[in-house]
Amino acid sequence: MFKIIFLAFSLLIWNIAYTQEVTTSGTITSNGEPLAFVNVYLKNTQIGASSNEAGYYILKGVPSGKYTLIASTLGYKTFSTVLNIHEKKDVLLDINLEPTTESLDEMVITGTLKPVSRLESPVPVEVYKPTFFKKNPTANIFEALQNVNGVRPQINCNVCNTGDIHINGLEGPYTLVLIDGMPIVSGLGTVYGLSGIPNSLIEQIEIVKGPASTLYGSEAVGGLINIITKNNLTAPEFFADSFMTDCGEYNLDIGTKVNFGKKTNTLLGVNYFRYDNPIDNNGDNFTDFTLQDRISIFQKWNFQRKDARIFSLAGRYFYEDRWGGELQWTPEFRGGDEIYGESIYTRRWEVLGKYQLPVEEQLLLSFSYNDHSQNSVYGDVPYLADQRIGFGQLTWDKSFAKHSMLFGTAIRYNYYDDSTPATSNANGNQPDEVIIPSFFVQDEIAFSSKNSLLLGARYDYDQRHGHIFTPRAAYRYKFTDNDILRLNAGTGFRVVNLFTEEHAALTGARDVIIAEELKPERSFNLNLNYLKKIYGDNGTFVGLDASIFYTNFQNVIIPDYETNPNQIIYDNLNGTSISQGVSANLDVAFSNGLKIILGGTYQDVSNTENGIRRRQLLTESFSGTWSLAYTLRPWDLIIDYTGNIYGPMRLPTLGENDPRNEFSPTWSIQNIQFTFTGLQGFEIYAGVKNLLDWTPNRGNPFIIARANDPFDKEVTFDVNGNAVATTNNPYGLTFDPTYVYGPNQGIRSFVGLRYTIN
């Protein structure tokens, strides 16, 4: 299938390449990244065009003569050069635009809650554009993050394939996910909320590694991911992206921009994903990949106001029907104990907005609200849950002399109710409901053009835990404009919130034991970051971003799977949990069209209790990511080779008799993609995912324990409730699908089409 597609694709390229008119063409980049929507024209003529999302531009039918070529876009210095055009001789001209001081491409907001140039920010912020994620197209943000160094999507269940995001080896509950700076995705939403965000409306994704609780409160302990949507200046008029794989996955992503008069415009994005082809390559009679039917609709309104004051509203509706389990499962078996299946109906809606008050001072009101409802069954165990989170924040941005101040107050409302003992007591059902008010202040002091110091502090009051104080400090020293050293120190906290699905419990294999009084988790973090950029005279660009990090946790809440294989015990760790390591990213872009991105992280994440130090479960000691892109300009062809590699992880086995490996092997997922950009407005792409055909079942007798008896009907238990070895259960195991550390999908080909109207 793939060979036929690739052959036809190559013939198409060959034909177009040799039937072109005399042209001037090339790729427009900055810092090695392609720039879209750059205006390119020949001065004093009607010949012009704009670059596509790959940075490629083409001027066709240029007569012989001498011209001045101009390339310009907002946030970059205008490029100008003289061209001598000769008949029947194409001109290949690559353009590197130099960012201006106020370049929008370099602006970040996540580290300080204020728009600032990335080079000027005292807090290191990693920025990823849509072009980075297009190198390996995925159906959701969760999968797309697999090629970000130090960030790993962790699948938590072999059957339903839900998961969370790890940053520098820290578990998913320590990662806060924001949309336009608002804490929309948290709790159970972290499991499902990262699916269905239309890629067509994403402007960039900003990642901060390390505690950010001073600005963002609870959950931003290990780091945060801020998904920033496009505005009316950067969004295309229309965008469509659709791809399918040979195993039956289908994804459609559509976005459009509509103006209502001169002062109102709206962005609309729709994402639809469907997979309904049960596959069982490992032969355990369970689906290797969850079947899904998902739709997400996102709309954002922007209103122009006097003095360019901000006013925007956005909303998203999300619905998903997913199931996994035994191949014979159909909806009539839902909730029964005949055929095992995990069926999840999820409905959630979100609204968020920003409104700048009509006063002289810079006062910004931000707000968000989301409602998440879930109807699930795990075999014969129901899990019905409702979560509502409301958030409001008022900030005052004030500068004077050498001080750039930010004052803020916030209030957060959390409501959670489910059908498990987590929200019940002796008097019956008791939903978890709490209001947390907060106050914070931040002062960035510019001592000189070379060094600055940021100081911040936050106060929260939680009626369950009392007063919580979180300070932080960040120092930046700029040797040159492209040579910067940053030192960050801060604290983080996470209040008790067990609103995460523990699949080992929900399958009925384990009981949940919760300590009577769980204390809030606290952390202290140090991060030393060095950023270096080198611009070569021949258009070559080299960027280095390296960090040393250390985080010490107190009162960390870790689910204990090992004390009793039939229980999950929640309690505060009587000791410390430490995450430490080094991380580096290297970007290299050559003028010949070759671009290389390499990332590597070495980390040591461990828990020490009662003098015993143990490596944390499901945490790799090293990881690496890479992206190699090469543009064959005569063929209008881009080749992308992406991948990641992970070192061994300690896995949750079911005791000494479990024959599955205690540690995973070193494993890697690698992908290749070919993109043809020779048709105006279109991109045709095809490739292969998981080239090595790697799956977690390699080297293991099985992945899901007791897959042949998912309801434990043939398991014999002793008086203490422990499974005992018998003839048909020689290892003394119970059904358990939580032994998982990577995706079960093997090699598969894909083909897709993008269409853009700028």
Side-chain angles (χ1 to χ4, degrees):
M1 169 72 178
F2 174 72
K3 292 181 178 179
I4 295 174
I5 293 173
F6 183 65
L7 178 60
F9 190 42
S10 300
L11 291 174
L12 174 65
I13 295 170
W14 183 273
N15 180 62
I16 293 176
Y18 284 92
T19 57
Q20 290 179 337
E21 298 178 271
V22 175
T23 62
T24 297
S25 62
T27 302
I28 303 176
T29 60
S30 179
N31 293 353
E33 288 291 335
L35 292 180
F37 316 132
V38 178
N39 295 316
V40 185
Y41 61 93
L42 300 181
K43 191 175 180 180
N44 299 324
T45 75
Q46 298 298 314
I47 301 174
S50 61
S51 60
N52 63 17
E53 291 203 353
Y56 181 77
Y57 76 94
I58 183 170
L59 305 177
K60 295 183 178 181
V62 182
S64 299
K66 188 175 182 179
Y67 302 92
T68 299
L69 182 142
I70 306 293
S72 64
T73 190
L74 186 64
Y76 297 86
K77 295 180 180 179
T78 299
F79 174 87
S80 175
T81 190
V82 175
L83 291 180
N84 286 304
I85 305 297
H86 302 285
E87 188 176 357
K88 296 183 180 181
K89 186 176 180 180
D90 291 345
V91 175
L92 180 62
L93 177 65
D94 291 330
I95 300 172
N96 181 59
L97 294 186
E98 183 180 347
T100 58
T101 304
E102 66 278 7
S103 170
L104 293 179
D105 185 62
E106 290 288 325
M107 299 299 285
V108 296
I109 63 173
T110 307
T112 60
L113 269 181
K114 296 163 59 167
V116 62
S117 166
R118 184 187 174 202
L119 296 177
E120 298 298 325
S121 172
V123 179
V125 181
E126 296 182 13
V127 179
Y128 296 91
K129 295 289 187 177
T131 52
F132 177 84
F133 299 109
K134 284 167 55 177
K135 298 174 183 296
N136 178 33
T138 62
N140 55 65
I141 297 299
F142 178 80
E143 294 180 40
L145 293 171
Q146 65 184 282
N147 286 328
V148 176
N149 180 32
V151 178
R152 183 172 67 85
Q154 168 63 44
I155 297 175
N156 292 327
C157 177
N158 266 308
V159 180
C160 64
N161 295 153
T162 56
D164 51 31
I165 303 296
H166 291 200
I167 294 181
N168 286 345
L170 299 178
E171 293 284 349
Y174 301 106
T175 300
L176 179 63
V177 180
L178 311 168
I179 299 180
D180 287 337
M182 293 290 97
I184 281 292
V185 182
S186 60
L188 188 63
T190 303
V191 178
Y192 302 96
L194 285 174
S195 300
I197 298 175
N199 292 330
S200 59
L201 294 186
I202 295 177
E203 173 68 18
Q204 65 188 36
I205 294 180
E206 299 179 3
I207 298 176
V208 175
K209 298 173 181 176
S213 294
T214 301
L215 288 180
Y216 297 97
S218 179
E219 297 181 45
V221 180
L224 59 89
I225 299 171
N226 191 6
I227 301 169
I228 299 174
T229 58
K230 292 182 182 293
N231 57 43
N232 62 323
L233 294 176
T234 58
E237 295 291 337
F238 177 80
F239 177 87
D241 185 355
S242 179
F243 72 85
M244 61 186 302
T245 67
D246 62 357
C247 66
E249 297 168 280
Y250 175 73
N251 186 75
L252 175 64
D253 202 14
I254 297 176
T256 186
K257 176 173 64 176
V258 180
N259 294 320
F260 295 92
K262 296 182 179 181
K263 295 186 177 182
T264 304
N265 64 78
T266 182
L267 303 176
L268 175 65
V270 179
N271 172 257
Y272 178 72
F273 177 79
R274 183 176 179 84
Y275 172 69
D276 59 0
N277 180 32
I279 294 176
D280 177 28
N281 288 327
N282 59 16
D284 60 3
N285 196 44
F286 272 71
T287 53
D288 292 342
F289 184 58
T290 306
L291 283 73
Q292 302 169 50
D293 192 0
R294 177 176 69 240
I295 187 167
S296 176
I297 302 172
F298 180 91
Q299 189 166 28
K300 181 177 181 180
W301 292 80
N302 291 285
F303 304 91
Q304 294 184 22
R305 300 172 58 211
K306 184 179 179 181
D307 299 325
R309 292 191 177 98
I310 299 171
F311 182 28
S312 67
L313 286 172
R316 182 169 77 118
Y317 176 78
F318 172 93
Y319 178 79
E320 181 183 71
D321 176 2
R322 68 163 59 199
W323 76 269
E326 294 185 271
L327 299 179
Q328 305 94 317
W329 191 90
T330 55
E332 57 263 29
F333 293 106
R334 192 176 195 268
D337 63 355
E338 297 179 54
I339 304 297
Y340 187 89
E342 297 186 1
S343 173
I344 305 167
Y345 303 146
T346 302
R347 177 198 57 79
R348 74 180 270 126
W349 58 271
E350 308 157 351
V351 62
L352 63 154
K354 296 178 183 294
Y355 180 78
Q356 187 176 346
L357 273 60
V359 295
E360 291 185 7
E361 298 293 338
Q362 295 289 321
L363 291 171
L364 181 65
L365 176 65
S366 304
F367 54 89
S368 67
Y369 184 84
N370 68 76
D371 184 293
H372 184 110
S373 178
Q374 188 170 316
N375 182 329
S376 313
V377 293
Y378 297 84
D380 58 353
V381 179
Y383 176 72
L384 309 176
D386 289 291
Q387 173 185 260
R388 305 181 196 112
I389 297 178
F391 181 81
Q393 178 174 275
L394 179 66
T395 56
W396 177 27
D397 187 351
K398 181 69 174 179
S399 298
F400 59 90
K402 297 182 178 181
H403 298 266
S404 177
M405 304 288 296
L406 182 72
F407 302 91
T409 181
I411 188 167
R412 177 169 175 147
Y413 169 74
N414 284 349
Y415 173 90
Y416 167 60
D417 188 19
D418 70 17
S419 56
T420 75
T423 57
S424 63
N425 56 27
N427 298 321
N429 188 54
Q430 185 64 45
D432 182 21
E433 190 171 15
V434 64
I435 296 176
I436 305 175
S438 309
F439 302 92
F440 58 90
V441 61
Q442 178 179 274
D443 182 13
E444 185 176 353
I445 308 167
F447 296 110
S448 67
S449 61
K450 288 185 175 293
N451 62 87
S452 63
L453 175 67
L454 182 143
L455 300 173
R458 182 186 184 97
Y459 167 79
D460 292 77
Y461 178 75
D462 187 316
Q463 63 188 27
R464 299 164 298 182
H465 306 297
H467 310 282
I468 302 174
F469 179 69
T470 48
R472 77 162 174 174
Y475 176 74
R476 176 186 62 86
Y477 184 80
K478 185 165 65 172
F479 299 97
T480 67
D481 288 340
N482 297 309
D483 200 1
I484 300 171
L485 185 70
R486 299 180 176 97
L487 176 63
N488 280 236
T491 59
F493 75 94
R494 186 172 76 100
V495 299
V496 177
N497 183 1
L498 298 181
F499 190 56
T500 57
E501 288 184 87
E502 290 296 345
H503 295 88
L506 295 170
T507 58
R510 299 180 186 236
D511 296 323
V512 177
I513 308 298
I514 302 175
E516 291 185 3
E517 292 186 10
L518 292 176
K519 301 175 183 178
E521 298 178 323
R522 302 300 302 263
S523 71
F524 172 75
N525 173 268
L526 280 173
N527 185 298
L528 181 64
N529 174 263
Y530 176 66
L531 177 67
K532 176 71 174 179
K533 294 187 176 184
I534 302 173
Y535 297 89
D537 295 336
N538 60 351
T540 301
F541 167 78
V542 178
L544 173 65
D545 190 339
S547 295
I548 301 174
F549 58 89
Y550 172 86
T551 304
N552 185 304
F553 289 89
Q554 301 292 330
N555 299 329
V556 64
I557 302 171
I558 299 178
D560 179 0
Y561 292 86
E562 298 173 303
T563 298
N564 187 327
N566 294 309
Q567 296 179 340
I568 303 175
I569 304 172
Y570 283 98
D571 200 355
N572 290 110
L573 184 71
N574 184 22
T576 61
S577 179
I578 293 176
S579 170
Q580 56 190 344
V582 295
S583 179
N585 293 309
L586 179 66
D587 293 12
V588 183
F590 299 95
S591 58
N592 63 359
L594 176 64
K595 179 174 175 58
I596 302 172
I597 303 175
L598 300 175
T601 298
Y602 175 79
Q603 60 194 13
D604 178 15
V605 184
S606 63
N607 305 311
T608 302
E609 186 171 23
N610 299 323
I612 301 175
R613 183 178 182 273
R614 299 202 68 182
R615 183 171 159 186
Q616 183 169 290
L617 282 170
L618 295 171
T619 304
E620 67 279 9
S621 58
F622 69 87
S623 64
T625 58
W626 65 84
S627 171
L628 280 71
Y630 185 68
T631 302
L632 295 169
R633 296 186 179 95
W635 287 13
D636 299 316
L637 182 67
I638 302 172
I639 303 174
D640 289 294
Y641 171 51
T642 59
N644 52 53
I645 185 170
Y646 299 105
M649 309 174 193
R650 193 165 68 90
L651 304 175
T653 57
L654 297 179
E656 296 179 356
N657 294 328
D658 194 331
R660 295 174 295 183
N661 296 325
E662 183 182 1
F663 286 87
S664 67
T666 298
W667 55 281
S668 175
I669 299 290
Q670 302 177 25
N671 321 284
I672 193 166
Q673 176 182 254
F674 302 88
T675 304
F676 175 66
T677 60
L679 301 176
Q680 183 67 31
F682 287 91
E683 291 183 9
I684 304 169
Y685 59 94
V688 179
K689 291 178 177 287
N690 198 353
L691 285 164
L692 303 181
D693 196 24
W694 178 89
T695 55
N697 62 299
R698 286 190 181 181
N700 272 302
F702 50 83
I703 293 295
I704 299 177
R706 298 288 295 170
N708 63 315
D709 183 23
F711 296 100
D712 291 336
K713 293 181 178 181
E714 299 179 8
V715 177
T716 301
F717 297 91
D718 62 20
V719 292
N720 296 319
N722 297 316
V724 298
T726 60
T727 303
N728 66 356
N729 187 13
Y731 304 114
L733 305 179
T734 56
F735 175 69
D736 183 28
T738 61
Y739 183 94
V740 59
Y741 54 92
N744 278 321
Q745 284 184 294
I747 188 171
R748 58 202 185 278
S749 61
F750 65 92
V751 61
L753 175 69
R754 297 187 186 97
Y755 178 62
T756 305
I757 300 176
N758 296 325

